[in-house]
Amino acid sequence: QVQLAESGGGSVEAGGSLRLVCTASPYTESIRSYCIGWFRQVPGKEREGVATMDQYGGTIYADSIQGRFTISKTAAKDFLDLQMYDLKPEDTAMYFCAVKSTGWPCPLTKDDYEEWGQGTQVTVSS
């Protein structure tokens, strides 16, 4: 069972940038064959998918962040990034990384994912 931990959250002004990182412990090469993704949640609302990547490197992005966020992965313990540009106040949320042990398809629906981190808070002020 892999444990995930997010880092990189913080407070920025609108138009700013942040880079979130997800760390796996233990990291194993098998993660490269998983679906991996970023989700976010605000209090009182459902957790929503932000971006996912399949084992082939294919990506899916939510319409709300298309063109502003980029998901990427590496073959290392800090295996998953989310680079966020041009942040908006509506991007304020707790951000979570998640994996599921099949590598495709990788939907933006939270119920498909098996392991989750504890989250990192992103706050964007206007």
Side-chain angles (χ1 to χ4, degrees), residues 1 4 34 98-102 110-116:
Q1 183 176 1
L4 305 178
Y34 290 3
V99 300
K100 75 179 183 83
S101 56
T102 55
K110 61 178 176 61
D111 293 339
D112 293 288
Y113 291 77
E114 299 150 354
E115 303 294 339
W116 293 83

Side-chain angles (χ1 to χ4, degrees), residues 14-59:
S17 302
L18 283 172
R19 175 175 168 260
L20 305 184
V21 176
C22 183
T23 301
S25 181
Y27 174 78
T28 64
E29 285 297 309
S30 60
I31 288 179
R32 294 168 63 82
S33 65
Y34 290 3
C35 283
I36 54 180
W38 288 97
F39 296 75
R40 66 187 183 185
Q41 188 171 20
V42 297
K45 291 192 175 182
E46 286 285 315
R47 191 169 298 186
E48 65 176 4
V50 174
T52 65
M53 179 176 282
D54 62 40
Q55 62 178 327
Y56 309 110
T59 56

Side-chain angles (χ1 to χ4, degrees), residues 80-98:
L80 181 63
D81 284 3
L82 183 69
Q83 182 67 57
M84 305 186 292
Y85 297 102
D86 190 23
L87 283 160
K88 304 177 185 299
E90 52 264 41
D91 295 318
T92 295
M94 185 73 77
Y95 283 71
F96 301 86
C97 60

